[in-house]
């Protein structure tokens, strides 16, 4: 029941806004910033942020937000970031993770990577339905957000392409144990979901703490 108690903390609308803001930044967030961004008083933000930390949904630390050190740099401020743990609730209890890990282990041992990727690509196409290939990065961001990937536009000023990275991998727990198999499956799924032949494509570009797939479009596509 511990996970239920933790998730129940998000029932308060102010607390949920603060949690969602911290999560969306992908970095440490101070109390002043969180309060200003969500339109609440600093003392109220501090109370709710500490409640979220106590529930295990956020992790807290302290650092000087000025970026300076030594005399005159100011006192360290409390900062918050999303907790690394995963919370799930199923009533009655279910254990889909174990089933997924067993299936992944069997597929890996049997060398079924190609078959799994083909099935994932077909599933992505089925999820896209009768719609054509994704036409822009904005459309891709909406599609990825709806599936829980937490996409964000990377700052790539001067680069040849615009890139969308994803802070969350929906298959994280299984991908940790079977990275080549599950990451390949994830790429194939997104290829099918975004569609082939359009101005938006997916490729592997692993980065610690994020999804191993990125989505990009050429600048000359007018995006």
């Amino acid at each position: 029941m511990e996970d239920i108690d933790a998730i129940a903390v998000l029932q308060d609308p102010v607390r949920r806004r603060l949690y969602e803001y911290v999560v969306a930044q992908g970095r440490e967030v101070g109390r002043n910033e969180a309060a200003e961004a969500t339109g609440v008083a600093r003392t109220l933000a501090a109370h709710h942020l500490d409640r979220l930390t106590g529930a295990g949904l956020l992790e807290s630390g302290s650092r000087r937000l000025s970026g300076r050190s030594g005399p005159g740099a100011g006192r360290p401020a409390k900062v918050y970031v999303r907790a690394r743990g995963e919370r799930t609730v199923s009533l009655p209890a279910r254990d889909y993770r174990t089933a997924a890990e067993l299936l992944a282990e069997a597929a890996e041992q049997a060398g079924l990577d190609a078959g799994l990727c083909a099935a994932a690509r077909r599933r992505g196409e089925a999820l896209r339905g009768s719609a054509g290939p994704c036409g822009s990065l904005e459309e891709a961001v909406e599609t990825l957000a709806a599936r829980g990937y937490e996409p964000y536009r990377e700052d790539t000023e001067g680069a040849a392409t615009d890139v969308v990275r994803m802070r969350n991998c929906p298959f994280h727990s299984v991908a940790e144990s079977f990275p080549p198999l599950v990451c390949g499956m994830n790429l194939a799924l997104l290829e099918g979901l975004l569609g082939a032949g359009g101005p938006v494509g997916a490729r592997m570009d692993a980065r610690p703490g994020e999804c191993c797939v990125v989505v990009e479009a050429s600048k000359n596509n007018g995006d």
Side-chain angles (χ1 to χ4, degrees):
M1 302 297 285
E2 183 178 328
D3 282 0
I4 295 178
D5 293 337
I7 293 172
V9 171
L10 295 172
Q11 184 175 2
D12 183 279
V14 174
R15 203 172 295 148
R16 185 167 182 174
R17 288 206 311 273
L18 286 162
Y19 174 77
E20 290 175 342
Y21 178 77
V22 172
V23 167
Q25 305 318 300
R27 55 172 172 78
E28 294 177 330
V29 174
R31 288 172 168 176
N32 287 342
E33 178 188 347
E36 183 177 348
T38 55
V40 300
R42 183 185 183 280
T43 53
L44 181 60
H47 167 73
H48 285 308
L49 290 166
D50 286 340
R51 282 290 305 276
L52 290 164
T53 302
L57 297 173
L58 297 179
E59 294 176 356
S60 64
S62 62
R63 66 177 176 86
R64 289 187 172 89
L65 298 179
S66 65
R68 296 177 292 152
S69 60
R75 296 174 58 187
K78 200 164 187 179
V79 292
Y80 302 84
V81 68
R82 175 163 54 185
R84 287 164 288 189
E86 182 177 320
R87 302 286 185 174
T88 58
V89 174
S90 176
L91 297 173
R94 297 287 187 259
D95 190 5
Y96 300 115
R97 179 183 299 178
T98 297
E101 289 176 348
L102 288 171
L103 291 168
E105 181 179 357
E108 189 173 76
Q109 291 180 352
L112 300 178
D113 304 55
L116 177 61
C117 287
R121 192 170 288 105
R122 290 194 299 271
R123 174 58 64 91
E125 292 169 350
L127 291 171
R128 181 162 47 89
S130 59
C134 186
S136 68
L137 277 186
E138 283 77 11
E139 184 181 339
V141 166
E142 291 180 5
T143 299
L144 295 167
R147 302 207 63 80
Y149 282 93
E150 298 181 7
Y152 68 96
R153 297 284 285 263
E154 184 179 40
D155 183 7
T156 54
E157 185 177 353
T161 58
D162 288 335
V163 174
V164 170
R165 291 189 176 272
M166 294 165 272
R167 292 194 174 95
N168 183 50
C169 171
F171 317 109
H172 173 72
S173 60
V174 186
E176 278 191 315
S177 300
F178 307 93
L181 182 77
V182 178
C183 291
M185 176 200 75
N186 188 24
L187 175 61
L189 177 71
L190 292 179
E191 287 174 341
L193 183 64
L194 298 174
V200 176
R203 62 177 174 84
M204 288 284 195
D205 188 9
R207 177 183 288 184
E210 295 189 342
C211 179
C212 60
V213 179
V214 299
V215 174
E216 62 184 4
S218 174
K219 286 186 180 295
N220 59 21
N221 284 322
D223 204 280

